Amino acid sequence: MTWNNLPAELHLAVARFLPPQDTRALSRTSRASYNLLVPRIFSDVTISSRGALRSFAMHVPARYGALIRRLSVCTKPGERAVVQEVDCTQDLATLLATCSCLRSLTLSLAGSLDASTIIPVFATLTMVQKFEIGCWGQEETAPVSERIAVSLAASLSSLTHLTLSHITRSALHVDNCSPPGVPLVLNDHDIPSHPILGEELCIPSLLKLPTLKSLDLRDVWIDCDENMYVQGKLAQLERVSLSGSMYRDSEVEGRACLAWLRACGPVLRSFKTGISLGESQPSTCLGKDWMDVEDEITSPLPTLTNFHVDAERVALDDLLPMLNVLNACEIKRITIVNAAMCAAQDAFTRECASDEFEDWQDAIEQFLTSNEWDSLKSVELNFGQGTQRVWNL
């Protein structure tokens, strides 16, 4: 029996094991193979540059957009030609307008987008559940404003999982006490108000999105949120991750992280952080008017099932104070991972991982000896192959 005589189910079964380039090559062997494999080829699309986006928008027939389920777009400029920012926005809007069945969208932007062009298109993406938006370049020279990121996320009516990476805070939502050197966006006042959030297009307002279940802030400056108090009905967030920022003031960032933890609501069950936590007196420098803090009211910390510590960012000396702060969370499982050590293969790094692992192991042993956490069931420590341990309690 020849390949062409095999049933379509077997063709698709074979295609599932092929890398994308081989799937495209197979689709060119016959008209039948092309018709059968086109939905698979276009189900997951990656566009790696501004020029590639322009080419896709101009030359790929619009009817293929309905086949795209996962789309990843980077708008970095090409090595030679530079396309104007407004053209980049229009090309992206043209492509997204055809993606009626899109479920997952990732944007890595080399600059901001024209709000009046892109926001109406996002409102039509009613099936998108996962959205990731980040800055490809430098925040100081080509920032992506929190106002455009929040507005786009709030326009996705089915959004459940959101990731913001290197998103820059807006001067409209940051008080006058922000330290020098922290990049802020100054020219984003023209982004229109949103039907759900109004003018409150700042990152903490994401807690008001009704469908949101998971929020991941990667390398986003949160120090300005230390006095945040989000009013109104909150999202039913189940998972939050705050990695911390290179512009951090450790003490202020710790207070801001606790403010986020309190604001997330009682449904929260999983919390991951690369920020050292510690109780201290609140700052006297308040945020903008929308963050009205009610006198003498402090929301309780939520009950957590899982607490994840990024050991690449959190210092060992801060571990025990952090766990003391979170005593009221009734945590069941603690996971401590150093992702860089886990990925390393060279002998020197593995030796360093072994030394660090021993120090962290001693600290955990000390904590387990003295702690009175009746809720705690397990602690996992992972620094890569050969440096792993689980304490089952």
Side-chain angles (χ1 to χ4, degrees), residues 317-393:
D317 291 342
D318 295 326
L319 177 63
L320 295 183
M322 173 186 291
L323 294 177
N324 289 333
V325 169
L326 299 178
N327 179 57
C329 291
E330 301 182 16
I331 297 170
K332 293 184 178 180
R333 288 186 291 274
I334 299 174
T335 303
I336 303 171
V337 178
N338 188 316
M341 294 292 189
C342 289
Q345 299 295 326
D346 61 284
F348 176 76
T349 305
R350 294 310 312 153
E351 183 177 350
C352 292
S354 179
D355 293 340
E356 286 199 33
F357 173 81
E358 294 296 331
D359 293 337
W360 281 82
Q361 184 175 237
D362 292 342
I364 294 173
E365 293 280 6
Q366 178 184 345
F367 165 72
L368 294 178
T369 300
S370 59
N371 96 89
E372 298 177 356
W373 287 20
D374 296 333
S375 60
L376 190 61
K377 303 300 181 185
S378 69
V379 179
E380 178 181 351
L381 181 64
N382 187 356
F383 276 57
Q385 186 175 5
T387 50
Q388 301 167 312
R389 184 174 175 184
V390 176
W391 291 262
N392 292 310
L393 307 176

Side-chain angles (χ1 to χ4, degrees), residues 180-200:
V182 177
L184 299 175
V185 179
L186 303 175
N187 59 347
D188 56 354
H189 58 275
D190 58 339
I191 297 175
S193 60
H194 190 272
I196 296 177
L197 304 180
E199 291 292 339
E200 299 175 10

Side-chain angles (χ1 to χ4, degrees), residues 2-272:
T2 65
W3 168 259
N4 290 333
N5 290 332
L6 292 174
E9 292 80 5
L10 288 181
H11 285 191
L12 292 174
V14 170
R16 278 197 291 270
F17 293 96
L18 297 178
Q21 65 271 21
D22 290 343
T23 302
R24 291 192 292 270
L26 179 60
S27 72
R28 292 191 287 268
T29 59
S30 68
R31 172 59 63 178
S33 295
Y34 178 81
N35 292 334
L36 184 66
L37 296 176
V38 154
R40 180 171 182 82
I41 292 172
F42 281 92
S43 66
D44 193 343
V45 173
T46 298
I47 299 174
S48 58
S49 69
R50 193 175 299 183
L53 174 60
R54 162 59 63 90
S55 180
F56 195 100
M58 290 181 62
H59 302 299
V60 176
R63 66 179 182 275
Y64 291 121
L67 302 175
I68 301 176
R69 300 295 184 271
R70 294 175 297 279
L71 176 64
S72 178
V73 178
C74 178
T75 64
K76 68 178 181 181
E79 296 181 359
R80 298 179 181 178
V82 177
V83 181
Q84 294 297 319
E85 184 175 295
V86 65
D87 294 334
C88 174
T89 301
Q90 186 58 59
D91 290 335
L92 180 60
T94 298
L95 170 57
L96 291 177
T98 68
C99 299
S100 57
C101 297
L102 190 65
R103 301 294 181 89
S104 174
L105 174 62
T106 300
L107 298 180
S108 179
L109 303 175
S112 194
L113 301 170
D114 180 66
S116 62
T117 300
I118 198 66
I119 291 175
V121 178
F122 263 67
T124 68
L125 302 176
T126 58
M127 298 181 68
V128 172
Q129 297 179 327
K130 183 178 180 181
F131 178 42
E132 180 173 345
I133 182 171
C135 177
W136 173 82
Q138 298 293 323
E139 288 188 63
E140 294 83 357
T141 57
V144 177
S145 168
E146 65 174 320
R147 287 178 60 80
I148 186 68
V150 170
S151 185
L152 293 178
S155 299
L156 300 172
S157 59
S158 299
L159 182 66
T160 58
H161 293 71
L162 174 63
T163 299
L164 305 184
S165 178
H166 292 278
I167 298 299
T168 306
R169 305 305 291 264
S170 170
L172 292 175
H173 304 301
V174 175
D175 58 55
N176 295 325
C177 295
S178 58
V182 177
L184 299 175
V185 179
L186 303 175
N187 59 347
D188 56 354
H189 58 275
D190 58 339
I191 297 175
S193 60
H194 190 272
I196 296 177
L197 304 180
E199 291 292 339
E200 299 175 10
L201 300 178
C202 49
I203 291 176
S205 290
L206 293 168
L207 297 180
K208 295 182 179 181
L209 300 186
T211 60
L212 194 62
K213 301 295 184 184
S214 174
L215 177 62
D216 190 351
L217 303 184
R218 301 176 184 174
D219 295 291
V220 174
W221 184 65
I222 66 167
D223 294 22
C224 57
D225 300 330
E226 61 171 317
N227 294 312
M228 65 183 282
Y229 182 83
V230 182
Q231 296 177 315
K233 187 176 181 179
L234 300 181
Q236 299 295 296
L237 273 176
E238 299 172 357
R239 176 189 174 276
V240 168
S241 175
L242 306 176
S243 74
S245 166
M246 63 180 291
Y247 304 105
R248 68 175 70 185
D249 176 315
S250 297
E251 184 176 339
V252 178
E253 189 180 46
R255 292 197 298 263
C257 185
L258 282 174
W260 266 93
L261 188 55
R262 289 190 173 97
C264 286
V267 179
L268 188 68
R269 290 295 175 265
S270 178
F271 184 66
K272 178 180 179 180

